[in-house]
Amino acid sequence: LERTSDMAKDHGALVAVNGDLGSTISGRPVHPFALGGDLVQTSPVLGAMFAMSRDGSMRIGHPTEQELSITEVDTGETWPIASWNHGGPTSGELTAHTAVGGALEAPRAFTCSTRLLGAGPSTSTDVGSTRTYTVDQAGCSSSRLQPGEGVVVSAVPTTDEATFIRSLSAGESVRIDWSLGFAGVTDAIGGSTVLMQDGHIVLGTCTGAICSRNPRTAIGLTADGRIVLVVVDGRQSSSVGMSLSELANFFQRLGVESAMNLDGGGSSAMAIRGRVVNHPSDGFERSVTNALLVHTDG
């Protein structure tokens, strides 16, 4: 958990807005998250998503699946990975953990695990991203195998998945492939609702507190490749906020092709050169789970 303006300062961003919904206790985002070609976490919740690909193309939509697999390069043997920084293995599963998971998503004890060290950068494929790793060690232990700078892939002992892990030898190469449903994605962040697609409002009937007037943060894409970031103050005498319907209509007036609602309420914040320029409804800037940062070239 960190304030949007602090994330902007830490990374030298020109502009930043808060991102995905998330837990104010753990800091975990609700949806899958990828950053700079690396998968940060998977999630069982596949909601709205803003994604960027290595070629610079961008999209907003609902991914239909998330796929992960590990392949032993020498034999071509491939196994699915059930989750990435999102839970330990159950019988019949392989799960993966990196240092990003910290204590919240540390590798489990009493598993059969392998630690993999990156042997090169990730590259794009027709469906997602791929990266080759070198096996550092593999085996079964009652203690946790720490990922360090690599990835720990684990299985429950006595399963077929555990047999695969025990078959890996130090120094051999494996490949991990992942996809979040959009081709060639390097960066992806989740949101709550898709508002527009192909220039049309797709919100539909919306009821409940989330649909009524609230502070809002949202992102839109124009047909000519521009990103439109919107933050609306609310819950104040000077601004009552926007309903989701009002927000969708606002984007349509801006000529946006696609748009998505991000986390709102007290989390809504926009920072320019590290300075918050809106008025968060809590009276102070809230710490959030992640953010969208805009950088200048050079």
Side-chain angles (χ1 to χ4, degrees):
L1 289 167
E2 192 175 0
R3 296 183 301 181
T4 298
S5 61
D6 289 336
M7 294 186 205
K9 293 173 186 175
D10 291 345
H11 297 278
L14 175 64
V15 178
V17 298
N18 61 290
D20 196 4
L21 297 83
S23 167
T24 57
I25 298 173
S26 69
R28 175 192 292 282
V30 168
H31 301 96
F33 184 34
L35 179 65
D38 292 324
L39 186 59
V40 178
Q41 73 162 37
T42 57
S43 170
V45 183
L46 289 179
M49 184 174 290
F50 165 67
M52 297 183 65
S53 296
R54 202 174 298 276
D55 63 4
S57 61
M58 298 171 288
R59 70 211 75 184
I60 288 172
H62 290 95
T64 57
E65 60 187 359
Q66 53 188 350
E67 294 184 343
L68 298 95
S69 64
I70 180 172
T71 299
E72 189 175 13
V73 172
D74 288 345
T75 65
E77 185 177 359
T78 299
W79 289 81
I81 297 175
S83 64
W84 190 279
N85 286 331
H86 212 291
T90 61
S91 183
E93 287 185 343
L94 288 172
T95 59
H97 294 84
T98 69
V100 172
L104 177 69
E105 281 297 344
R108 303 304 195 253
F110 299 98
T111 60
C112 296
S113 301
T114 179
R115 180 164 56 219
L116 311 175
L117 303 179
S122 61
T123 58
S124 296
T125 66
D126 290 341
V127 295
S129 293
T130 185
R131 188 178 186 186
T132 300
Y133 294 82
T134 300
V135 176
D136 178 52
Q137 65 180 85
C140 304
S141 175
S142 60
S143 60
R144 301 174 188 267
L145 182 60
Q146 298 301 322
E149 296 296 317
V151 180
V152 168
V153 179
S154 303
V156 173
T158 74
T159 61
D160 291 341
E161 290 76 13
T163 300
F164 166 70
I165 285 178
R166 293 199 308 272
S167 74
L168 299 176
S169 302
E172 74 167 300
S173 295
V174 299
R175 188 182 72 246
I176 290 180
D177 299 283
W178 62 269
S179 170
L180 294 180
F182 298 132
V185 166
T186 58
D187 298 81
I189 193 168
S192 67
T193 309
V194 174
L195 305 171
M196 294 186 63
Q197 287 282 29
D198 300 320
H200 302 287
I201 294 174
V202 295
L203 177 61
T205 303
C206 189
T207 59
I210 191 174
C211 305
S212 61
R213 286 176 170 171
N214 285 291
R216 299 289 180 188
T217 302
I219 182 172
L221 300 175
T222 65
D224 58 359
R226 289 179 296 153
I227 300 175
V228 179
L229 297 175
V230 171
V231 169
V232 182
D233 286 342
R235 302 174 185 169
Q236 303 170 61
S237 59
S238 58
S239 176
V240 295
M242 280 187 177
S243 68
L244 284 181
S245 179
E246 290 169 333
L247 184 62
N249 280 280
F250 180 68
F251 272 117
Q252 190 174 53
R253 293 196 299 272
L254 292 176
V256 166
E257 284 287 298
S258 58
M260 180 180 82
N261 187 52
L262 295 163
D263 191 14
S267 298
S268 287
M270 177 180 284
I272 298 179
R273 300 190 186 279
R275 185 177 67 87
V276 178
V277 295
N278 71 305
H279 299 88
S281 63
D282 288 346
F284 58 89
E285 186 184 4
R286 184 184 291 180
S287 293
V288 295
T289 188
N290 55 23
L292 278 164
L293 310 183
V294 180
H295 295 268
T296 58
D297 291 334

